[in-house]
Amino acid sequence: MKFFRSLFILFLFNLVTFQSQAFEYLQPLPEQPIAPENNPVTEAKVQLGKTLYFDPRLSKNGERSCNSCHNLAAGGDDDGATTQKSQNPTLRSAPSVWNVAYMSTYYWDARAKTLEAQAIDHILDPNIMAISHAKNLETRLSAIPGYANLFEKAFGDNEITIVKIAQAISSFERALIVPDSRFDQFITGNKSALNEKEKRGMQLFNDKGCLSCHFGTNFAGPAPGPALKMGDGFYELFPNYRGSFYEEKYDFVSDLGRYHVTLDNEHKLMWRVPSLRNITDTAPYFHNGAISDLHQAVRIMSEVQFNYPITEEEVDDIVAFLKTLTGQYPEITLPRIPDTAGISLIPNN
Amino acid sequence: MKFFRSLFILFLFNLVTFQSQAFEYLQPLPEQPIAPENNPVTEAKVQLGKTLYFDPRLSKNGERSCNSCHNLAAGGDDDGATTQKSQNPTLRSAPSVWNVAYMSTYYWDARAKTLEAQAIDHILDPNIMAISHAKNLETRLSAIPGYANLFEKAFGDNEITIVKIAQAISSFERALIVPDSRFDQFITGNKSALNEKEKRGMQLFNDKGCLSCHFGTNFAGPAPGPALKMGDGFYELFPNYRGSFYEEKYDFVSDLGRYHVTLDNEHKLMWRVPSLRNITDTAPYFHNGAISDLHQAVRIMSEVQFNYPITEEEVDDIVAFLKTLTGQYPEITLPRIPDTAGISLIPNN
């Protein structure tokens, strides 16, 4: 909560002094991933992690890979409001995996402090990968000859454990950086990278208060670093103003957010602040994916977070600015998933 | 049916004269795709087709792309017995998309005469892509700015129709060739490409009668060309000998195959002969995917098709030969699916 309070003060400060100080709280996206000390990113781990990321055998019925819902051909998420890919849809909209290294917690309710913990949690979640027990997946992958070599290269020995699986996937994900958006070009000195409309949108993004939560490398609050330890998270109340027309229309309050993790009443309707990077590619929006249009998302934020009037022209300017946050996606070569030489490992059901 | 009969005569002939003539009915895989006259393969169509192939917005709920079930990171199919990815699983196991240009009909029951017809059928099938009406998909893709340019390049105008969608996807699929297997190296002159065990397996593959159906470019009967018109198909009875132990155990006769398409009693239990290329990567096997192990698949074929005894050593030799049919997969770069600039086109349900 301390960041919420300090940033709110920052926001008020900005309202008085206008832009220049405020924009110091925006940073360009580094091209290099950051990683925890106990799992440094190496090329071998990235290669193994990529293979695992695309391997549907990480799910119980072999019906989905990480890429099924966090699609790297698109915005790193799926297009559905919630993920419909199983008979038990997830409750919340899949967030983007791009630039995920610069989040300090994972899930909308921040229930995982690291990417590694998130990967294990996903694998064992009955609504996601639905592996009943870590041992089942370890045994399954150990029966695939091609993986032994990949684990050997990545970790120095070929024993397959769920921790190594999670470490490799996390290493691949940390390398999924989408740098060099027009915003990044602008903030690093190319003042012609944004046009006048987009600059107006950027100014409005500050003046309207959006920046008080959506700042930092990912526009999601502080990135992990000196200001915020990995796992600490940066949370905000949504909706901040209750009782709006939108709240009922889009069912914004039936899911209590972080409260479901901590059972702390102060966490009711508290959410991890989502990243705004590549937001043109991550519709639909909000935790429940109820909003399919970015313009409407901006209208709603103005109303339910600030109870401010906002004109259609202002909405359009802010959307124009948000569109400059889409970066240059790296080219990804599809991995070859190691085969099992004529044996299916998926139970016949 | 004429091919079935003529090949059966060929088979008998081989039983008397042994190998040399028979192996003339095996061909290496060409590196260039073949295509119908009304849809020649062009680079622009392949690029558009690749983008469409990976775009989950081709399915009603945005939950699957062509690649979800015909996975190009793997054997061009999925790992499930039947495709479980929807609430209405498909009845039959997804066949591989690799080398599909060299099949003369599509589906296990050959109900589509061309890849183009198959693509349209898949898009509208409520158990597959579940698009209710062609117009819905045309309208949806027309709302994605990036597609207009890709259609313009591929077809000379940017109007999006389901026929063009199918033509582009088919063009991409025709380029999905996996050449240069060790078998291909052997048959084109490198006699050391197969070891002794694999050569024994190849001889047994002829002697046991497998070659009487699994010949030609794809080991699936004649490839389209002078001997077989595109769409004519090459069908066989399965099981050929009724009442075996396997028949009941694996439920081989409840699905009547091509009969369901033609309602012709002569087509009961008739099936398109499946390709054996890359078979190490396409488990599980048979139309219902009931067999997860290639060795068991060979045992079953010997019993239910020929009512022959077969030793475990023979099975192992044949499997060793079959493993030489896996070729060199081309590297595939993941396409960027064009975004919708902040609008989701998937209905929120």
Side-chain angles (χ1 to χ4, degrees):
Chain A
M1 293 294 289
K2 66 182 176 195
F3 275 98
F4 174 59
R5 297 207 186 95
S6 62
L7 263 292
F8 189 64
I9 291 163
L10 169 71
F11 166 55
L12 292 176
F13 178 69
N14 289 330
L15 282 183
V16 178
T17 65
F18 299 110
Q19 72 267 29
S20 57
Q21 294 89 342
F23 292 133
E24 290 172 16
Y25 292 86
L26 294 175
Q27 287 107 36
L29 195 66
E31 300 217 7
Q32 292 301 315
I34 55 170
E37 278 182 22
N38 67 356
N39 188 26
V41 173
T42 65
E43 182 56 28
K45 270 191 275 184
V46 169
Q47 281 307 315
L48 169 59
K50 178 163 97 166
T51 310
L52 292 165
Y53 190 90
F54 280 93
D55 194 336
R57 293 171 297 193
L58 263 68
S59 66
K60 183 180 179 185
N61 295 328
E63 66 180 15
R64 56 166 68 170
S65 66
C66 306
N67 196 63
S68 299
C69 302
H70 300 281
N71 187 353
L72 298 178
D77 63 342
D78 59 6
D79 255 314
T82 54
T83 294
Q84 304 284 337
K85 291 186 186 66
S86 72
Q87 289 174 2
N88 302 310
T90 57
L91 293 171
R92 296 171 188 152
S93 184
S96 176
V97 72
W98 292 109
N99 303 318
V100 79
Y102 296 97
M103 303 301 282
S104 92
T105 59
Y106 299 94
Y107 290 102
W108 282 95
D109 56 18
R111 66 183 180 273
K113 287 187 172 229
T114 62
L115 267 177
E116 288 80 355
Q118 172 276 334
I120 293 174
D121 194 77
H122 263 54
I123 288 167
L124 300 176
D125 187 323
N127 285 5
I128 307 181
M129 305 306 254
I131 300 287
S132 313
H133 191 283
K135 197 75 209 156
N136 299 3
L137 181 60
E138 292 164 354
T139 304
R140 182 187 283 181
L141 296 193
S142 299
I144 301 170
Y147 269 126
N149 187 34
L150 289 171
F151 275 84
E152 174 83 41
K153 279 189 190 164
F155 294 103
D157 72 276
N158 65 13
E159 193 201 0
I160 295 178
T161 67
I162 197 162
V163 170
K164 286 182 192 162
I165 292 167
Q167 287 182 327
I169 293 172
S170 300
S171 296
F172 172 61
E173 290 172 335
R174 289 193 176 102
L176 295 173
I177 311 288
V178 186
D180 203 29
S181 69
R182 288 199 290 116
F183 163 77
D184 291 316
Q185 295 167 18
F186 180 81
I187 204 92
T188 52
N190 177 3
K191 295 305 173 196
S192 64
L194 302 192
N195 64 29
E196 289 311 309
K197 183 180 179 67
E198 291 156 352
K199 286 180 195 167
R200 274 202 312 276
M202 185 172 171
Q203 187 63 51
L204 283 164
F205 187 80
N206 174 57
D207 298 349
K208 292 282 180 184
C210 317
L211 187 61
S212 63
C213 302
H214 291 289
F215 66 100
T217 306
N218 257 347
F219 293 77
L228 186 74
K229 269 197 309 194
M230 180 72 79
D232 269 0
F234 177 64
Y235 309 104
E236 292 292 344
L237 185 66
F238 175 88
N240 191 34
Y241 285 86
R242 294 294 307 277
S244 74
F245 161 75
Y246 294 126
E247 176 180 314
E248 186 179 339
K249 178 171 182 190
Y250 296 117
D251 187 24
F252 282 149
V253 296
S254 67
D255 184 339
L256 294 174
R258 188 149 169 76
Y259 170 78
H260 294 298
V261 181
T262 63
L263 299 181
D264 177 341
N265 278 327
E266 285 204 18
H267 292 163
K268 279 187 178 163
L269 300 174
M270 293 296 282
W271 299 92
R272 184 185 73 161
V273 174
S275 169
L276 302 185
R277 284 201 175 264
N278 308 310
I279 197 165
T280 49
D281 289 350
T282 62
Y285 304 106
F286 296 96
H287 64 271
N288 60 359
I291 314 302
S292 64
D293 175 0
L294 189 52
H295 282 79
Q296 181 73 340
V298 171
R299 281 180 211 114
I300 291 169
M301 287 301 281
S302 182
E303 171 93 15
V304 308
Q305 294 304 88
F306 298 110
N307 200 20
Y308 275 1
I310 190 164
T311 69
E312 279 307 292
E313 200 183 337
E314 288 171 329
V315 169
D316 205 52
D317 287 351
I318 291 174
V319 167
F321 168 63
L322 293 175
K323 287 184 176 179
T324 72
L325 303 184
T326 299
Q328 306 291 322
Y329 291 97
E331 189 171 274
I332 292 191
T333 307
L334 210 58
R336 287 301 313 158
I337 293 174
D339 73 67
T340 45
I343 296 172
S344 171
L345 299 172
I346 303 302
N348 186 351
N349 56 358
Chain B
M1 292 292 291
K2 67 184 178 193
F3 275 98
F4 174 61
R5 297 210 184 91
S6 63
L7 264 290
F8 189 66
I9 291 163
L10 170 71
F11 167 55
L12 292 175
F13 178 69
N14 288 330
L15 283 183
V16 178
T17 63
F18 299 109
Q19 71 269 27
S20 57
Q21 295 87 343
F23 292 132
E24 290 171 16
Y25 291 88
L26 294 175
Q27 287 108 35
L29 195 66
E31 301 217 7
Q32 292 302 316
I34 55 170
E37 279 180 23
N38 67 356
N39 188 25
V41 173
T42 65
E43 181 56 26
K45 270 192 273 184
V46 169
Q47 281 308 315
L48 169 60
K50 179 162 97 165
T51 309
L52 292 164
Y53 189 90
F54 280 93
D55 194 336
R57 290 170 299 193
L58 263 69
S59 65
K60 183 180 179 186
N61 295 329
E63 65 180 16
R64 54 166 68 169
S65 65
C66 307
N67 195 64
S68 300
C69 302
H70 299 282
N71 187 354
L72 298 178
D77 62 342
D78 59 7
D79 253 314
T82 54
T83 293
Q84 304 284 335
K85 290 184 188 67
S86 73
Q87 288 173 4
N88 302 310
T90 58
L91 292 170
R92 297 172 187 151
S93 184
S96 176
V97 72
W98 292 110
N99 303 318
V100 79
Y102 296 97
M103 304 301 283
S104 91
T105 58
Y106 299 94
Y107 291 101
W108 281 95
D109 56 19
R111 66 183 179 274
K113 287 187 173 230
T114 61
L115 267 177
E116 288 81 354
Q118 172 275 334
I120 293 173
D121 195 79
H122 263 54
I123 288 167
L124 300 177
D125 187 323
N127 286 4
I128 306 181
M129 305 306 253
I131 299 287
S132 314
H133 191 282
K135 199 75 209 157
N136 298 3
L137 181 60
E138 293 164 354
T139 304
R140 182 187 282 182
L141 296 193
S142 298
I144 301 170
Y147 269 125
N149 187 34
L150 290 170
F151 275 84
E152 173 82 41
K153 279 189 189 164
F155 294 102
D157 72 276
N158 65 13
E159 194 201 359
I160 296 179
T161 68
I162 197 162
V163 170
K164 286 183 192 162
I165 292 168
Q167 287 182 327
I169 293 173
S170 301
S171 296
F172 172 61
E173 291 172 335
R174 289 194 175 102
L176 295 174
I177 311 288
V178 187
D180 202 29
S181 69
R182 287 198 290 118
F183 163 79
D184 291 315
Q185 295 168 18
F186 180 81
I187 205 92
T188 52
N190 176 5
K191 294 305 172 196
S192 63
L194 302 191
N195 65 30
E196 289 312 310
K197 182 180 180 68
E198 291 156 353
K199 286 180 194 166
R200 275 203 311 276
M202 185 171 171
Q203 187 63 51
L204 282 164
F205 187 81
N206 175 57
D207 298 350
K208 292 283 179 182
C210 318
L211 188 60
S212 64
C213 302
H214 292 288
F215 67 100
T217 306
N218 256 348
F219 293 76
L228 187 73
K229 268 197 310 194
M230 181 71 78
D232 269 0
F234 177 65
Y235 309 104
E236 292 293 344
L237 185 65
F238 175 88
N240 192 32
Y241 285 87
R242 294 295 307 275
S244 73
F245 161 77
Y246 294 125
E247 176 180 315
E248 188 179 338
K249 178 171 182 190
Y250 296 116
D251 186 26
F252 283 148
V253 297
S254 66
D255 184 340
L256 294 173
R258 188 151 170 75
Y259 170 77
H260 295 298
V261 181
T262 64
L263 299 181
D264 178 340
N265 279 327
E266 286 203 20
H267 291 164
K268 279 186 179 167
L269 299 174
M270 294 296 282
W271 299 92
R272 185 186 72 161
V273 174
S275 169
L276 302 185
R277 284 199 175 264
N278 309 310
I279 197 166
T280 50
D281 289 349
T282 62
Y285 304 107
F286 296 96
H287 63 271
N288 60 359
I291 314 301
S292 62
D293 174 2
L294 189 52
H295 282 79
Q296 181 74 339
V298 172
R299 284 181 210 111
I300 290 168
M301 286 302 281
S302 182
E303 172 92 16
V304 308
Q305 294 305 87
F306 299 111
N307 200 19
Y308 275 2
I310 190 164
T311 68
E312 280 307 292
E313 200 182 336
E314 289 171 328
V315 169
D316 205 52
D317 287 351
I318 291 174
V319 168
F321 168 63
L322 293 175
K323 287 183 176 180
T324 72
L325 303 183
T326 299
Q328 306 291 323
Y329 292 97
E331 189 171 274
I332 292 191
T333 307
L334 209 59
R336 286 300 313 157
I337 295 173
D339 72 66
T340 44
I343 295 171
S344 172
L345 299 172
I346 303 302
N348 186 351
N349 57 359

